[in-house]
Amino acid sequence: MSILKTSGLKKYYKTGPNLVKALDGIDLKVEPGEFVAIVGTSGSGKSTLLHVLGGLDNPTSGNVEIDGKELSRMNDDQLTIFRRRNIGFVFQNYNLVPILNVYENIVLPIELDGEKPDKAFLDQIVGMLGLKEKLDNLPNNLSGGQQQRVAIARALATKPAILLADEPTGNLDSRTSQEVLGLLKMTSRQLHQTIVMITHNNEIAQLADRIVRIEDGRIVA
Amino acid sequence: MFQNNNSAVIKHLSKAGLKSSKLRNRLAGAVIALAAFLLALASTFAYNAAMELQNLTHYQAVFENVDTQVIEKIRTNPDVEAYGISRRAGMAKNGDISLSLLYSDEKTMELSNVRIKTGALPEQVNQIAIEKGYLDSVNSGAQIGDDITITYRNSVNNEMQTDSFIITGFLGTGDENGMGRKVYNAVVSRAFIDSDPALSSVYPTVVIKVANADGYSNTGLKAKIKEIGQLAGLPEKSIYINDINVDSNNTTSETSAAVLAIALVVVIAAALVIYNIFYITIIGKVNEYGQLRTLGATKRQIRKIVMREGKLLSLQSIPVGILSGSGVSYLLRPSMWLAVPSLILALCVGIITFLTVMLSLRKPAKIAAGVSPMEAVLYTDFHGSSKGKKRKVKKLTPFALGRIYLTGNKKKTAVTFLSLTLSGILFITAASLLSSVDPVRRARQGFLYGGEYRIGLNRELLSPSTSYSDLQINNPLPEELKAKITAISGVDGVEIHKYIRGRLVGAIHDDETIGVDNIREKDAAELKKYLVEGNLPDTSADQILVNRGTITYEYFGLHYQPGDTITMLLYDGDTQISKKFTVSGIIDNDDSGDTLFLPDSVMDALMAQNCNQSFEILSGQGYSADVEAQLKALIASEDKLEFDSMKEQTELEGRVLHVIATAAYTLVALIACFGLVNLVNTIITNILSRKNEIGIMQAVGLSRKQLMKMLYTENAYLIFGSFIVSVFLGSVLGYYVCIAAGNVGGLSYIQYQFPIWTNAVYFLLMIILQTITTRFIGIFLQRHSVIERLREV
């Protein structure tokens, strides 16, 4: 059974007199534990796809089903709660909360859910991502690569059904990029974590199990 | 020299800056306008009120009994700028309302602020000009040209007379709009005076306007008046000083101090808010400033851009504030408005407000100028613990997040908290003081023996040339009246206040008069409580008791000890007697305004005239309209007497207190607006500056409810935190202000009361405020989706 399934996904915007078809009928299936890269040029609709997949944005029509639950049937609050339990996000600009330290950033989704963090699991991912010494630090005092590792740890902490990564290496130099991608690949293997990653870089996409190409809001390969 | 002319680009950038932060500009503009409004209102109102007091009359002295030779000497004295001649004709009484009849030339009318509003001055024997207010208050619809019959007591022979007059005009006077007036004026003709054998037999009264009066100190002016009178050959007893005019000659220091205090509070409150608003926006725009720096703007230029934004805002807002402030001040009392000085004051207010804005912008401008190109990239609103770079882990509930944000930017929180607390403290302190004023206690000061009613010499008749000793001639408070009062059913007794006017020979102000009050036999026990030295006076000897607790004691520079001899000149009707007393003892009672005391029997024995001042009428049953009606009927035709009751006095005090309270609360409410603007600004910027962070938290699972809880917590800490601090500090301050005020002589009616109702209202207001702000946040947050917030980087 697919962990992620979309059918006929469309997202249209009106900008002035023009109708922009950001997504124009996307049918996509992702299997559990799969590492999928969605590749496209700037403006191809790949970021919109990720936002719609993550329930951050509503599609104009079509469905998104994650772990058997249809997102369009949920109201705003249900969606928020579903998101914090089932979807992990990694953004290009890390998007850490600056006033919270590393540990707090990582456990934020769990604590917002009123749950206690699973200590053993946390230790495992913190160890895997090399953040043990940095837990008390505030994000401002970390390098870009370190900040992105915190973001990955935060995304993994809730053991989500799916991890959505939006250009996770976009702000990093090539050496750090390799390191972060390696970590993503490793978590996919070791934790059997489903990952959907968006990138414009073919080389980076090669690391994934499967590559989906998107152009003008449609899947082309 | 690399001096470029870059003012054009700075002008352009600051204008663009203003356009880009409209919300901030509206708030800051409102604060600047409000500050200018309050300052303009307080200063112009106080100034015009002080001037009105001074301009009630324009003369500084009254000379009585002046013959033609003396008038000639006054006319030729270069120190006299103007003088007018008048004669008193009589006094008519109609229930509570009195009408003073007098002849007065045009100059006297001008100097007394009396003028013909409609019609003309009387010329014939049977003509009169009168105040319309008098006719209204006696329900007469008489118009100009109508006949009016007046029964009055002749001022010279004290006989009752009835005459018929034709009204030629209506008078306007300085206090024609005064509330609760009881004495009105009417002007008769010179021919009327000449035709009356009694009135024409005495010399007229002259009022004097001293040349260049503003150039003298108050005491200097008084000395100058004496000199003018003596040069003209007048005996000292004919020279009277118009104290209201002379004492307000140089605007009193109390008024100035009050205005300065208000101004200081307003300036501080406004400065805090302007500082905070700009501080917050500048932090939000660090990236922009960083970019400008990258593009080559110097620190000086950045600072100039910020300061110019403030200048532009001031130019837009200050005129609005001073115009509306002056406008409201004008509307409050249009009759006393002096346009030119008020305009100058308003201009000064504009300059002060402008300087306040510039001063409060210095720090924010410095912060903006200090931004380095690199910092721009890294800067976040949060820099509370960047020094420590580490923070202990906290449990992350929405409440905890709210607290973390509050403590994250301590400065912003502190400034908002401070400005909310400042107005709160003011509010509670004012409320404490106002609720501690007891109208009953205050009224009781006029009814010291516990009486319900008072019949006394008519205080309305007191003037620069009429004193209690004048009213005591043919004293209208004889034993017969007392007997008639006692006979009324419901009256339990009558206590007599006696009073002798006199002068202390050899004291600092020995040219001014001082009063001697009576001691009843039963007062002995009460007076002994205050006795600090010596004994109460012995009725068989010429002994006097002195109260060292009064302002008068200090003013006359007295230092008495038991055994000292006091020489006094006592006024007995229109004669004076010299008398020596031995000080028997000293009391210290700052609540009593009376300085010198003699036993009843001694006072009676000294004076040929009856020296009664008032009858205080005791009634165990409390107030009764029936008793009041009977008492009023007893004195209905006696113009030299007035009636007063504890009930009426309490109501009057209540009304006065209400007016003061309304004014005080309005002022506090306006000052509280600064705190509110600060709160609104903080709340909005809390959301605006954190759009992105809120987006992140929502993306990782912060529900709308949790977000609201977080922001709610932040506001609650500010609102209820400042409430608790305000109530605590305000109550402590209010308590000490009340204690201090209550200890001032004569203000013992101020007894500290916790203002429970005001606190309840304040609490309710805070709940409403919290509810409104939360709703406001809710509406605000619905305007953007999570994804829009995430894009905000």
Side-chain angles (χ1 to χ4, degrees), chain B residues 452-720:
Chain B
E452 279 298 328
Y453 318 94
R454 203 183 73 95
I455 286 177
L457 296 176
N458 194 347
R459 286 168 290 190
E460 302 264 8
L461 301 183
L462 296 176
S463 72
S465 57
T466 308
S467 66
Y468 275 123
S469 43
D470 296 317
L471 296 177
Q472 280 169 339
I473 300 172
N474 299 320
N475 200 324
L477 291 170
E479 279 300 314
E480 300 86 70
L481 181 64
K482 184 184 165 191
K484 279 183 196 161
I485 294 170
T486 318
I488 293 173
S489 115
V491 171
D492 297 337
V494 173
E495 294 294 342
I496 303 176
H497 291 271
K498 292 176 193 281
Y499 181 85
I500 298 174
R501 203 166 73 94
R503 278 158 56 182
L504 276 172
V505 179
I508 291 182
H509 294 281
D510 69 347
D511 52 345
E512 290 182 38
T513 60
I514 188 169
V516 182
D517 291 84
N518 63 319
I519 307 174
R520 302 170 305 161
E521 268 175 46
K522 45 189 151 184
D523 292 335
E526 179 69 15
L527 281 172
K528 271 191 180 141
K529 285 191 211 159
Y530 296 101
L531 202 60
V532 284
E533 279 178 275
N535 298 298
L536 296 184
D538 191 336
T539 49
S540 60
D542 290 332
Q543 291 192 333
I544 196 164
L545 181 70
V546 178
N547 179 9
R548 69 174 187 195
T550 65
I551 297 166
T552 318
Y553 187 83
E554 273 174 46
Y555 179 72
F556 279 84
L558 306 180
H559 300 281
Y560 290 135
Q561 282 176 336
D564 285 358
T565 305
I566 300 180
T567 309
M568 288 193 80
L569 272 180
L570 301 174
Y571 290 80
D572 187 4
D574 46 8
T575 59
Q576 292 179 23
I577 49 172
S578 177
K579 180 79 190 163
K580 277 194 167 65
F581 297 101
T582 312
V583 175
S584 72
I586 308 285
I587 60 167
D588 191 349
N589 177 7
D590 60 10
D591 267 337
S592 159
D594 306 331
T595 309
L596 300 171
F597 297 90
L598 286 171
D600 269 340
S601 52
V602 175
M603 288 176 93
D604 288 338
L606 269 172
M607 296 283 119
Q609 300 277 346
N610 164 350
C611 58
N612 290 349
Q613 184 187 28
S614 67
F615 289 159
E616 190 171 326
I617 297 146
L618 311 180
S619 177
Q621 65 181 23
Y623 173 80
S624 141
D626 184 43
V627 175
E628 175 175 330
Q630 292 187 59
L631 288 170
K632 276 186 168 168
L634 270 184
I635 60 161
S637 62
E638 184 46 77
D639 53 289
K640 279 160 81 180
L641 289 182
E642 63 176 1
F643 174 86
D644 204 357
S645 69
M646 181 66 192
K647 176 172 174 278
E648 194 181 332
Q649 206 54 38
T650 309
E651 282 167 4
L652 181 71
E653 296 299 345
R655 279 202 300 278
V656 170
L657 185 63
H658 185 75
V659 171
I660 294 173
T662 310
Y665 283 131
T666 309
L667 186 68
V668 174
L670 287 171
I671 290 170
C673 288
F674 290 117
L676 283 183
V677 170
N678 227 342
L679 182 72
V680 168
N681 182 56
T682 305
I683 288 170
I684 293 172
T685 49
N686 267 350
I687 304 169
L688 285 182
S689 66
R690 296 204 315 247
K691 263 193 210 161
N692 180 250
E693 278 170 65
I694 290 171
I696 302 165
M697 288 203 261
Q698 285 183 309
V700 301
L702 184 76
S703 70
R704 177 178 294 280
K705 236 187 200 162
Q706 288 175 321
L707 174 61
M708 291 297 286
K709 262 190 204 164
M710 184 180 100
L711 296 169
Y712 192 86
T713 309
E714 287 185 43
N715 296 345
Y717 269 98
L718 285 174
I719 293 174
F720 293 106

Side-chain angles (χ1 to χ4, degrees), chain A residues 63-161:
Chain A
N63 292 324
V64 178
E65 210 180 286
I66 291 176
D67 209 6
K69 312 264 177 359
E70 213 178 287
L71 298 192
S72 62
R73 302 206 169 180
M74 298 178 195
N75 67 25
D76 200 54
D77 280 341
Q78 287 169 325
L79 194 61
T80 304
I81 292 164
F82 181 80
R83 203 162 52 217
R84 74 183 172 213
R85 289 178 186 164
N86 298 290
I87 305 171
F89 285 100
V90 176
F91 298 99
Q92 177 175 357
N93 46 16
Y94 332 127
N95 277 349
L96 299 178
V97 182
I99 58 152
L100 302 180
N101 64 28
V102 167
Y103 178 80
E104 287 167 341
N105 263 292
I106 295 172
V107 298
L108 182 63
I110 305 170
E111 296 212 335
L112 285 175
D113 208 25
E115 297 290 322
K116 285 236 166 75
D118 175 345
K119 197 134 188 337
F121 180 65
L122 270 183
D123 282 349
Q124 188 191 348
I125 53 173
V126 164
M128 253 167 61
L129 294 166
L131 292 169
K132 258 210 176 97
E133 309 302 317
K134 302 286 179 193
L135 290 179
D136 286 344
N137 286 47
L138 290 167
N140 280 351
N141 301 309
L142 300 180
S143 69
Q146 287 169 331
Q147 290 195 45
Q148 197 58 303
R149 278 188 271 151
V150 176
I152 294 170
R154 180 176 70 188
L156 292 173
T158 53
K159 300 178 194 164

Side-chain angles (χ1 to χ4, degrees), chain B residues 250-280:
Chain B
N250 300 311
T251 311
T252 58
S253 53
E254 284 103 347
T255 320
S256 322
V259 171
L260 273 181
I262 292 172
L264 201 68
V265 170
V266 169
V267 163
I268 290 174
L272 269 179
V273 186
I274 294 166
Y275 166 81
N276 202 26
I277 288 174
F278 272 85
Y279 174 73
I280 290 170

Side-chain angles (χ1 to χ4, degrees), chain A residues 27-41:
Chain A
D27 297 303
L28 178 70
K29 275 184 186 170
V30 177
E31 302 306 318
E34 213 181 353
F35 185 175
V36 179
I38 295 174
V39 187
T41 53

